[in-house]
Amino acid sequence: MRRIHAARPRRRTTWRERLFVLGGFAVAALWTAGSLMLDAGADAIGPIWMGAILWTVPSSLACALWQGFRHRDWSPFRRYWLPDGSDDNFDWSTRTGSYAYLRIQEEHERLMRGD
């Protein structure tokens, strides 16, 4: 008799994906430490860090697309539910958010005062 193993679900992120996305920060940190230790000047530290920050956006998008095309897992592109449950405060019929009461209260206050 042949034993059938159930397919294990894919982990959300692998260490390679994390390295790909966060690798810009590692390069920027090494560049910063190296340039400060060698007294090479600190003129390029700012642009290197800005490049590392800007690297995270397209690289995380690329990882999400790769996950979708290769593993057919499009969950990063589906609607995200906030963990604190603040999605419950959104009124879909009037398209107003959780702070709409402030605007309504301000209008009522204005009408009461006769402005």
Side-chain angles (χ1 to χ4, degrees):
M1 184 188 281
R2 191 170 156 193
R3 177 180 246 182
I4 298 174
H5 295 283
R8 292 186 345 183
R10 183 180 178 274
R11 287 189 344 196
R12 295 289 297 161
T13 56
T14 63
W15 65 271
R16 289 183 183 126
E17 290 171 345
R18 288 181 184 155
L19 182 65
F20 181 67
V21 173
L22 300 175
F25 292 121
V27 169
L30 289 173
W31 182 275
T32 302
S35 66
L36 292 178
M37 285 174 40
L38 298 174
D39 276 339
D43 296 339
I45 292 176
I48 292 290
W49 278 100
M50 186 57 70
I53 291 169
L54 293 176
W55 169 256
T56 59
V57 175
S59 63
S60 61
L61 177 63
C63 285
L65 287 172
W66 178 258
Q67 183 176 350
F69 287 126
R70 181 144 188 222
H71 302 286
R72 298 190 194 275
D73 180 14
W74 295 100
S75 60
F77 296 102
R78 292 192 185 113
R79 177 145 166 40
Y80 179 73
W81 296 99
L82 297 174
D84 63 352
S86 63
D87 286 335
D88 298 335
N89 296 335
F90 193 83
D91 184 9
W92 289 103
S93 61
T94 60
R95 303 272 191 229
T96 57
S98 59
Y99 294 106
Y101 71 92
L102 292 174
R103 186 185 53 207
I104 295 169
Q105 182 181 6
E106 181 181 326
E107 183 180 347
H108 288 184
E109 187 73 26
R110 184 181 56 82
L111 291 172
M112 253 178 35
R113 302 230 184 254
D115 286 337

